[in-house]
Amino acid sequence: MTIGVCYGVVANNLPPANDVVQLYKSKGLTGMRIYFADAKALSALRGSGIALILDVGGNDVLASLAANASNAANWVRDNVRPYYPAVNIKYIAAGNEVLGGDTRNIVPAMRNLISALAGAGLGAIKVSTSIRFDAVTNSFPPSNGVFAQAYMTDVARLLASTGAPLLTNVYPYFAYKDNPRDIQLNYATFRPGTTVRDQNNGLTYTCLFDAMVDAVVAALERAGAPGVRVVVSESGWPSASGFAATADNARAYNQGLIDHVGGGTPKRPGLLETYIFAMFNENFKTGELIEKHFGLFNPDKSPAYPIRFQ
């Protein structure tokens, strides 16, 4: 599996979960991410074979899982055991883009979940956390990448000890939006025409996505975890309501991503497991208006723009 799609549900007009799973299957999508233990989605996924990233939920859940082992055991009992292996739960994400003081809960929650899964005979399910790209600093050139805060070294080393990947949300869109003077649109959207060389190691980059992923790889190496894989747990481009947010740019980016990740990055050639954000436009998303327009599909299941998945 190379390409999955994130199934966000911050909306009031989405199709039923059974219809959503059928849409994934009809498009040949073999991976999904959900952001909490959604019983409707989990039930709909039974027997589908779709590989799943299962997020634990918000920072309150993360804190509960970190607090003690019995909370983690109860969470696994309620949200994993009833579904696995009929639902192909591949990774559990202990937190998504956790910030500030809540970061102290990541490693304890991961450890408690790892123990709970092992105790339930479910140790094949890997536990990780999903980070914002700005958890890495000095990201240009990519070989200079380093984690910005010390807790990430603990995360990286725990992942190294368990064989789990680091889940990373990678958005060239936001890097381009924040610095359009120095970053070319074609470089950000997998269109040809720009080449960037990393003077430290001689590797050549033709897209911003690869440079961002390889900065995370460099940070893992500096943290003493060179063997940890990167899984891109979110990536996408908005199609409306903001700077460079057009259907044409979104199609170019997401089609480029689908066509590209089978070959990996200059630093790590080979398959790069990647999840596009998101399956649907979500009308209850807050923040900037673009947040409502990351979907590959409209709520009526029609494509937001033409895209092929294979």
Side-chain angles (χ1 to χ4, degrees):
M1 193 212 82
T2 310
I3 281 285
V5 180
C6 302
Y7 172 29
V9 293
V10 186
N12 69 344
N13 56 358
L14 299 182
N18 284 318
D19 291 2
V20 174
V21 171
Q22 288 306 312
L23 183 58
Y24 272 71
K25 291 171 72 173
S26 73
K27 300 299 179 183
L29 294 169
T30 54
M32 179 189 287
R33 178 181 183 182
I34 61 176
Y35 290 90
F36 63 100
D38 181 345
K40 290 179 181 175
L42 287 163
S43 295
L45 283 164
R46 288 183 188 276
S48 67
I50 292 171
L52 184 68
I53 300 177
L54 172 60
D55 281 45
V56 299
N59 288 336
D60 54 338
V61 180
L62 186 69
S64 170
L65 294 170
N68 61 66
S70 63
N71 289 350
N74 291 342
W75 190 90
V76 168
R77 179 198 67 205
D78 295 342
N79 300 301
V80 180
R81 289 193 71 165
Y83 303 104
Y84 184 85
V87 178
N88 180 17
I89 301 170
K90 192 172 185 181
Y91 312 121
I92 292 174
N96 180 46
E97 299 190 345
V98 181
L99 299 173
D102 291 315
T103 58
R104 69 179 179 272
N105 292 323
I106 295 172
V107 167
M110 288 174 63
R111 289 191 187 281
N112 286 340
L113 283 168
I114 291 163
S115 296
L117 289 165
L122 304 173
I125 301 171
K126 298 297 185 184
V127 177
S128 186
T129 190
S130 185
I131 64 167
R132 286 162 54 112
F133 179 73
D134 63 7
V136 175
T137 190
N138 296 346
S139 58
F140 185 81
S143 57
N144 281 352
V146 62
F147 289 122
Q149 293 181 272
Y151 78 89
M152 279 304 305
T153 297
D154 298 332
V155 169
R157 291 179 178 172
L158 179 55
L159 295 172
S161 74
T162 63
L166 178 61
L167 306 176
T168 308
N169 298 344
V170 178
Y171 283 99
Y173 171 76
F174 291 108
Y176 171 67
K177 177 173 172 280
D178 291 345
N179 189 12
R181 187 174 61 84
D182 294 328
I183 297 172
Q184 299 295 312
L185 179 62
N186 61 339
Y187 185 62
T189 54
F190 296 101
R191 294 171 170 120
T194 299
T195 299
V196 176
R197 185 173 181 273
D198 187 325
Q199 71 271 22
N200 293 333
N201 58 21
L203 293 176
T204 298
Y205 291 86
T206 58
C207 60
L208 180 55
F209 174 84
D210 280 356
M212 293 173 75
V213 172
D214 279 355
V216 180
V217 172
L220 284 165
E221 291 176 347
R222 284 195 171 82
V228 173
R229 286 191 306 125
V230 173
V231 167
V232 177
S233 45
E234 287 183 14
S235 192
W237 195 284
S239 62
S241 298
F243 177 78
T246 66
D248 188 50
N249 285 340
R251 188 207 57 78
Y253 181 81
N254 283 321
Q255 192 66 66
L257 184 67
I258 290 163
D259 296 342
H260 179 79
V261 293
T265 69
K267 178 84 171 168
R268 287 195 178 167
L271 294 176
L272 175 59
E273 189 176 343
T274 298
Y275 294 74
I276 295 175
F277 187 87
M279 194 66 170
F280 297 105
N281 288 323
E282 296 171 71
N283 66 340
F284 276 19
K285 277 275 195 176
T286 56
E288 294 183 61
L289 277 176
I290 54 165
E291 296 292 341
K292 301 177 190 286
H293 297 284
F294 272 87
L296 297 169
F297 293 89
N298 298 306
D300 65 2
K301 299 186 284 187
S302 64
Y305 42 82
I307 200 102
R308 53 178 170 73
F309 295 100
Q310 298 171 325

